[in-house]
Amino acid sequence: MAYARIISTADNYLHHVSNGTFSVDADEPATLGGQGRGFAPFDLYLASLASCTAITLRIYAQRKGWELGEFHAELRSERDEDGRLHVHRVLHASAELSDAQWSRLLEVVEKTPVTLVMREGARITSERGQAG
């Protein structure tokens, strides 16, 4: 379904991430000992959700014949008192949309594929690979 490969560099915490076609750098900010030359891991987490949000809503709007204009979403995360991560999305569209259209978009965004997986969690397994 999806694939990612990450390779370390000689620079502390800087890594190159690829899906086999596209690449992005991951790092930690300098305040955490990194180089500040790429997305921090939780930035990538939010970027995944933001991407799925924008693409899903664009597909939905096109199917309905709605013009969104320039669409963008702002996502922020924070931990609550219990340590649980809370992600908040703010959606924007430059086109004029009715309250009913916005209401429907806010319903749809709650069911994007990445939203659902993040809410349900994922089983993550690990194994040792071959040297080299």
Side-chain angles (χ1 to χ4, degrees):
M1 183 173 149
Y3 170 81
R5 182 173 191 232
I6 189 163
I7 301 172
S8 62
T9 69
D11 295 326
N12 205 24
Y13 306 143
L14 178 65
H15 287 74
H16 302 302
V17 184
S18 172
N19 70 353
T21 304
F22 302 104
S23 298
V24 64
D25 286 341
D27 199 356
E28 287 288 355
T31 56
L32 296 178
Q35 307 300 306
R37 293 177 32 205
F39 286 93
F42 275 99
D43 294 337
L44 290 167
Y45 181 85
L46 291 181
S48 174
L49 182 57
S51 301
C52 190
T53 296
I55 292 167
T56 300
L57 291 184
R58 179 68 65 187
I59 291 168
Y60 182 83
Q62 286 175 344
R63 287 183 182 159
K64 290 292 192 177
W66 299 351
E67 179 56 49
L68 295 180
E70 181 182 279
F71 175 85
H72 72 273
E74 298 170 26
L75 287 77
R76 296 197 186 281
S77 66
E78 62 184 12
R79 297 228 179 243
D80 65 19
E81 306 82 42
D82 298 325
R84 285 188 50 107
L85 188 69
H86 176 219
V87 176
H88 183 71
R89 288 182 279 216
V90 179
L91 311 178
H92 304 269
S94 65
E96 285 292 322
L97 297 169
S98 69
D99 288 342
Q101 287 172 312
W102 270 113
S103 179
R104 185 63 186 134
L105 290 174
L106 289 169
E107 289 174 14
V108 169
V109 80
E110 294 301 318
K111 297 176 184 137
T112 71
V114 173
T115 298
L116 295 176
V117 168
M118 286 181 173
R119 283 199 177 123
E120 75 184 20
R123 185 170 62 95
I124 300 171
T125 59
S126 303
E127 69 180 75
R128 179 180 176 173
Q130 300 297 316

